[in-house]
Amino acid sequence: MLWATALGSSQGFMHMKLTKTKEKYILGQNSPPFDSVPEVIHYYTTKKLPIKGAEHLSLLYPVAVRTL
């Protein structure tokens, strides 16, 4: 399963790929596997994001947006 996620900052938004494989979640292509999306968010509140161009950003909290 694949999701497109967006990271908002004062300079705009950046889209990232969040993949679920074998019951684990992976952010981008180089993150360690996590058991849940909240674990991904918690880990990247203190670590650099594994996304080119977003290394200087960190995650704070998830915001759910539904599209029709």
Side-chain angles (χ1 to χ4, degrees), residues 23-50:
E23 302 304 317
K24 299 287 183 176
Y25 294 88
I26 299 171
L27 182 63
Q29 296 179 345
N30 300 314
S31 85
F34 297 93
D35 291 328
S36 68
V37 173
E39 285 184 26
V40 175
I41 303 297
H42 178 72
Y43 181 83
Y44 287 111
T45 59
T46 59
K47 306 284 192 254
K48 290 183 178 183
L49 289 167

Side-chain angles (χ1 to χ4, degrees), residues 7-34:
L7 174 67
S9 74
S10 61
Q11 298 175 348
F13 289 91
M14 175 175 281
H15 294 275
M16 299 176 290
K17 181 172 69 170
L18 183 63
T19 307
K20 182 179 180 185
T21 60
K22 296 184 182 180
E23 302 304 317
K24 299 287 183 176
Y25 294 88
I26 299 171
L27 182 63
Q29 296 179 345
N30 300 314
S31 85
F34 297 93

Side-chain angles (χ1 to χ4, degrees), residues 14 49 51-57:
M14 175 175 281
L49 289 167
I51 309 294
K52 185 177 179 180
E55 299 91 349
H56 64 289
L57 301 172

